[in-house]
Amino acid sequence: LWGNTAFKTTYKPNLSDAEKVAGLSLLWSQAKYNFANFALLDIDWNQTYLDYIPKVLATKSTAEYYKVLIRFYAQLKDGHTNVNVPDSLAGEFYSRPPFRTELIEGRVFVVKVFSDSLYKSGIVPGLEVTKIDGEPVIEYGEKNVKPYACSSTPQDMEIREFSYQLLSGPKNKA
């Protein structure tokens, strides 16, 4: 059932409304019938599905659509339940600069640098990250990362929010 070719479409910059609703419906049904932890959540999965239909229909691109799907599944609060974007969109979601950050005592610091040129330009371990796109880094993470992160514990959410996903995004974003 899940591998049915009717749901497999070639990449387009913007999917049709029918394809968007079909994809959302597939994700909803996979969780509805296979997710084991609904008893641990305070969520009406059926209502959440209905709430997300207009959200997916309002998207203007396939990348925007996938961002909505990722947020939909993040509500399951499970680190093993994710939406994976197609390879053609990987650069829009998974690109990141070659350094790692961590939240340490309420502040975000560079902890590893994987580029000699960044290192020479002053991006070194111990450097504090205070803002991203002009917004305080903690607020940025809470608003732009946390709603899309799939995690079941506060500790894992912190790592995802401030280490793995904080700087991920479009390849050409400065």
Side-chain angles (χ1 to χ4, degrees):
L1 173 65
W2 307 124
N4 188 314
T5 58
F7 289 116
K8 294 184 180 181
T9 60
T10 57
Y11 175 78
K12 301 177 225 178
N14 192 23
L15 298 169
S16 71
D17 287 352
E19 290 167 320
K20 290 175 183 179
V21 171
L24 176 67
S25 300
L26 181 61
L27 286 175
W28 169 82
S29 65
Q30 286 178 337
K32 174 83 175 175
Y33 299 109
N34 298 302
F35 186 67
N37 295 321
F38 278 116
L40 302 175
L41 300 175
D42 183 25
I43 188 172
D44 179 340
W45 192 237
N46 295 333
Q47 185 60 53
T48 302
Y49 167 70
L50 293 174
D51 293 344
Y52 268 76
I53 291 172
K55 292 176 183 185
V56 299
L57 291 174
T59 61
K60 304 291 184 216
S61 70
T62 300
E64 188 180 333
Y65 164 71
Y66 269 92
K67 195 164 186 173
V68 171
L69 293 182
I70 291 167
R71 192 166 186 159
F72 175 63
Y73 254 31
Q75 293 180 67
L76 295 173
K77 297 181 178 14
D78 182 79
H80 298 97
T81 306
N82 300 292
V83 172
N84 296 313
V85 302
D87 291 343
S88 53
L89 289 175
E92 290 287 317
F93 287 85
Y94 305 129
S95 296
R96 54 179 290 124
F99 63 90
R100 179 71 51 120
T101 57
E102 282 185 20
L103 182 68
I104 302 170
E105 296 182 4
R107 297 162 59 195
V108 178
F109 293 92
V110 173
V111 293
K112 292 184 182 178
V113 179
F114 307 104
S115 163
D116 289 340
S117 63
L118 281 181
Y119 205 92
K120 289 175 186 172
S121 72
I123 309 287
V124 296
L127 180 69
E128 183 176 4
V129 178
T130 58
K131 292 185 178 186
I132 296 177
D133 291 340
E135 188 171 353
V137 68
I138 302 297
E139 291 174 28
Y140 179 91
E142 292 292 313
K143 184 171 84 178
N144 297 295
V145 180
K146 191 174 186 176
Y148 302 94
C150 297
S151 177
S152 57
T153 67
Q155 300 87 347
D156 183 51
M157 177 59 79
E158 181 180 293
I159 291 168
R160 290 173 190 267
E161 187 177 355
F162 296 106
S163 296
Y164 301 144
Q165 296 174 319
L166 182 67
L167 300 173
S168 295
K171 184 187 297 187
N172 297 324
K173 185 177 178 184

